[in-house]
Amino acid sequence: AFGGSVLAGIDGARDRAALLATGADARVDSDPRIDGPLSAALVSRIRSTPGTGSVTLAAIHDDAEVKEGTRRLPLAAVDPAAYARLARHTGLGAFSPSDLKAAGRTIPALVSPSMAELFTGGRLDLWMNGEDVTLRVAVVRATTPALTDDFLVVDTAALTRATGLPNRPTTLLLTGTRIDAAALHETAGPGRTVRLRAVERARYIDSPLQTGATGIYVAAVAAGAGFAGLALLLALGRAAPERLALLARLRTMGLTRRQSRRLLILEALPQAALAAAGGTLTGWAAVRLLSPGLDLTSLALADSAGAGAGHLNTDPLSLVLPAVCVVVLAVGIASLQAWWAGRRGSVRELRAGEPT
C-alpha cells in the first residue's frame, strides 16, 4: 500500500507540474513587443482547433511598476467569469467572479502570497501607461492559471477604465480533450509559443533517476504482493488436510457441495477480512507518518520547475486494492479446496487419515 501511494504520488506530482507549466490543457502566448497581441480572427481560428473545448483570454502585462519604487510586477487582465471557470476546472486557485468586480476607482486583485506582502493596508499603488492604478487585495491564492509564482490578476474592464489600455489578449488558455497539437501549432503561426499539457507531462519521465526510482518501487510493490500471496497460500495449504477431512465427515451426514463451498468461504473470510483491514490501516498510518518528511519532487521531476509539487498522500486505490486482493485470494482458495474435496470423494478422504 505504501509503495502504491508513492507511485501514485510521483504520477500526481508530474501531472501537477505539467498543469502548473501550462495553466490549462494547452496554452498559446504572444510577445506583444514583437508580434503584438492576438487578433480576434486568430482567437476564432484557435477556438476551432480540433479537440478544443473552451478558450480563456488573458492580457499579460510586465510593465506594472510599483509607484514608490522601480520594481515591475507581472499582471494579468482577465474576464472574471471565464477565468473563474478555468481556475475551478484546473483546480489552480478557484475563486468567485464577484471577487474581482470593481465598485470604485480601486481595483480588486487576485494575488499570490508573495505579492500580498507588498500591499500596505491592503492597497498597492502602481504606475501603468502613465496612469495611477490602485489595487486592493481581494483574494490570495497560491496558484493561478495565467501566471506562475508572483502574480496579480485583475478585471480587464476595470483596468481599461483606469489606464485607457485596450488590454487585447496576449495569452490563450485552452481546455479540451485530445487537442490536436499539430493543428494548434499551425493555426497559432510563427513567433507564438504553443505549449501542451500532455507534452509537458511527457518531459518528466525521461530522466534515469525518475525511471529508475519508479522501477524500484514497482518491483517493491510486486515483491510485497508476491510474498503476501505466498504467505496466504502456505497458511491455507497447511490447514488443507484438516479442512478436507472435516468436509468428508460432514458430507457423510448430508452436507452438499454448495454448502461445503460456503462453509470454507465463511471460515476463511474472518481471517482475511482482519488481515485486509490491518494491512489497510498500517499502510494509511505509514503514509501519514512519513509524508511530512518525504518530498517526491526530485523523484517525480527531472528539474525544479515544479518544486513543491510532489507530496506523499494517501491513495485510496493503493490502500483498497491490496486488501481486496487478499479477500479475493482467500475466497478463491477456499472455493478451490471445496471443489477438490468434492472430486476426491468422502470415503477416500476419510481413509486417507487412517493408520496403516
Side-chain angles (χ1 to χ4, degrees):
F2 176 77
S5 294
V6 171
L7 292 175
I10 292 175
D11 193 61
R14 290 171 177 170
D15 291 339
R16 178 74 173 177
L19 179 59
L20 289 172
T22 57
D25 296 318
R27 181 187 187 112
V28 178
D29 289 292
S30 174
D31 190 338
R33 294 168 297 184
I34 300 175
D35 304 303
L38 301 169
S39 66
L42 178 60
V43 173
S44 179
R45 291 198 301 271
I46 289 178
R47 288 185 191 274
S48 303
T49 303
T52 301
S54 65
V55 178
T56 303
L57 284 62
I60 308 297
H61 299 278
D62 58 4
D63 58 348
E65 188 174 336
V66 178
K67 192 172 182 181
E68 298 179 358
T70 59
R71 181 176 179 179
R72 293 179 179 269
L73 307 179
L75 182 145
V78 300
D79 174 70
Y83 194 73
R85 287 194 298 270
L86 176 65
R88 186 168 56 252
H89 174 76
T90 58
L92 298 178
F95 66 98
S96 172
S98 60
D99 293 333
L100 297 186
K101 292 297 183 180
R105 294 184 58 84
T106 302
I107 302 175
L110 184 151
V111 304
S112 63
S114 58
M115 290 292 98
E117 297 176 357
L118 301 179
F119 285 69
T120 302
R123 295 165 61 93
L124 179 65
D125 294 324
L126 299 178
W127 182 258
M128 292 185 65
N129 195 37
E131 299 288 343
D132 292 331
V133 178
T134 302
L135 306 183
R136 65 174 175 85
V137 176
V139 187
V140 179
R141 294 290 184 267
T143 57
T144 198
L147 296 167
T148 58
D149 301 326
D150 304 333
F151 55 81
L152 302 168
V153 180
V154 299
D155 181 9
T156 298
L159 187 63
T160 298
R161 288 194 301 268
T163 64
L165 289 172
N167 288 300
R168 289 191 289 268
T170 62
T171 297
L172 302 180
L173 299 165
L174 289 68
T175 61
T177 56
R178 298 183 179 179
I179 297 175
D180 191 327
L184 183 60
H185 278 88
E186 182 179 354
T187 304
R192 297 181 178 93
T193 304
V194 177
R195 284 183 290 174
L196 278 83
R197 180 179 176 183
V199 175
E200 292 292 325
R201 173 63 175 81
R203 274 198 323 113
Y204 299 122
I205 60 176
D206 296 330
S207 167
L209 173 63
Q210 282 72 50
T211 54
T214 301
I216 289 173
Y217 275 104
V218 168
V221 170
F227 279 119
L230 180 61
L232 183 60
L233 285 171
L234 291 176
L236 293 176
R238 171 71 173 78
E242 291 83 356
R243 282 200 189 91
L244 296 178
L246 175 62
L247 286 180
R249 295 186 185 96
L250 291 176
R251 270 201 301 274
T252 60
M253 293 185 283
L255 190 72
T256 65
R257 290 187 177 183
R258 178 175 297 181
Q259 291 171 335
S260 301
R261 185 168 60 252
R262 290 178 181 175
L263 179 63
L264 288 185
I265 290 174
L266 290 174
E267 181 188 14
L269 270 180
Q271 306 172 59
L274 286 175
T280 301
L281 182 61
T282 301
W284 176 83
V287 172
R288 298 291 292 180
L289 291 173
L290 295 177
S291 59
L294 185 59
D295 186 3
L296 299 179
T297 303
S298 59
L299 293 178
L301 310 177
D303 52 39
S304 59
H311 299 288
L312 179 62
N313 297 308
T314 52
D315 178 55
L317 182 62
S318 299
L319 294 176
V320 173
L321 186 59
V324 172
C325 289
V326 168
V327 175
V328 170
L329 185 59
V331 170
I333 293 175
S335 300
L336 182 62
Q337 287 180 343
W339 172 79
W340 182 251
R343 285 197 57 181
R344 296 193 64 178
S346 301
V347 175
R348 182 178 178 183
E349 199 62 52
L350 289 172
R351 290 179 60 85
E354 293 179 356
T356 57

